Amino acid sequence: IELVIGMAILGLFVTQAIPSFNAFMINQRIRSAAEAMANMLQRARVEAIQRNQEVEFITFDRLINATDNTYAQAITAVAGGDHWALRTKDSSGNYFAIASRSSAESSPESASVRNSNMDINNVRQSSTLIRATSTVSSVTFNALGAASNIASTASFEFIRYNPNNQPAYQCAQNSGPIRCLRVTVSSAGQVRLCDPAVAASADTRKC
């Protein structure tokens, strides 16, 4: 009897812990993807200063199997794209790739998505896929480290894909458990990672 009671209590604890663990894992994936973008934007700024020429950070939706330079030419900018690349342009207008990454790297689907010539929409139904949304498709840093194509601030929102608007997957500012994050870039070139759910003005995480 004691063993049965013990197993029942253990089962209750496990049942209660699963939702919290699921939210924890999703939050970790969101942070991983947001930090990856922030680091890539910082790298774009550093590359622009070091090279003394413009470096473009661009978001896009479709992965292409090609050599780096062909890849850089073929990218079509898409606002809120799930893949990102850094590229430069020579005096003849030819693009040269520096690096590329994907928000899907924070999800189990990353390997199949990253190594295939497919549209990211084909995997957006996944329950673990992290989305990066924005109205901006590119940020261009000049030789002084400023974002020359931004009037004030560009924002990139990182969320857990939630097409059915389930409460368990809503952002914290909407009373959900998921800590959605935001990456911002000012016209001066400052890159910042913040949490839209933080309201306290003294908190450094506040957007």
Side-chain angles (χ1 to χ4, degrees):
I1 293 175
E2 291 177 352
L3 181 60
V4 171
I5 293 174
M7 293 297 292
I9 293 174
L10 179 61
L12 180 62
F13 284 150
V14 170
T15 302
Q16 294 294 322
I18 287 176
S20 297
F21 181 74
N22 185 45
F24 171 78
M25 291 302 298
I26 294 172
N27 287 333
Q28 289 297 105
R29 289 170 180 153
I30 289 176
R31 176 162 292 279
S32 176
E35 288 179 346
M37 177 180 278
N39 290 337
M40 198 165 186
L41 283 161
Q42 291 281 17
R43 179 178 175 182
R45 189 184 191 196
V46 170
E47 291 278 357
I49 295 172
Q50 290 180 341
R51 293 168 181 260
N52 195 33
Q53 68 178 120
E54 288 189 342
V55 171
E56 182 184 25
F57 169 89
I58 185 171
T59 63
F60 58 103
D61 264 351
R62 191 172 181 83
L63 290 174
I64 303 166
N65 291 323
T67 61
D68 284 348
N69 291 339
T70 303
Y71 180 76
Q73 296 289 346
I75 292 173
T76 300
V78 175
D82 290 295
H83 311 300
W84 329 308
L86 302 184
R87 65 184 184 179
T88 61
K89 185 165 58 175
D90 64 17
S91 57
S92 299
N94 298 314
Y95 284 104
F96 295 89
I98 299 175
S100 64
R101 292 201 69 172
S102 170
S103 62
E105 290 180 20
S106 62
S107 300
E109 297 84 359
S110 61
S112 59
V113 175
R114 197 166 55 246
N115 296 323
S116 62
N117 186 13
M118 64 185 293
D119 194 311
I120 192 66
N121 287 315
N122 292 336
V123 295
R124 276 183 172 162
Q125 298 303 318
S126 166
S127 62
T128 57
L129 192 63
I130 305 305
R131 296 282 304 276
T133 63
S134 177
T135 57
V136 177
S137 61
S138 68
V139 177
T140 301
F141 293 92
N142 61 28
L144 297 176
S148 57
N149 66 328
I150 297 176
S152 56
T153 302
S155 297
F156 300 88
E157 307 286 339
F158 284 82
I159 63 174
R160 192 267 196 199
Y161 183 53
N162 187 18
N164 299 319
N165 201 29
Q166 299 179 54
Y169 301 135
Q170 289 180 353
C171 297
Q173 62 264 40
N174 298 323
S175 301
I178 306 305
R179 306 299 299 196
C180 299
L181 298 176
R182 180 183 299 162
V183 176
T184 63
V185 186
S186 69
S187 57
Q190 181 183 21
V191 179
R192 187 166 176 267
L193 176 63
C194 61
D195 187 340
V198 176
S201 58
D203 196 319
T204 57
R205 299 172 300 164
K206 185 179 184 300
C207 291

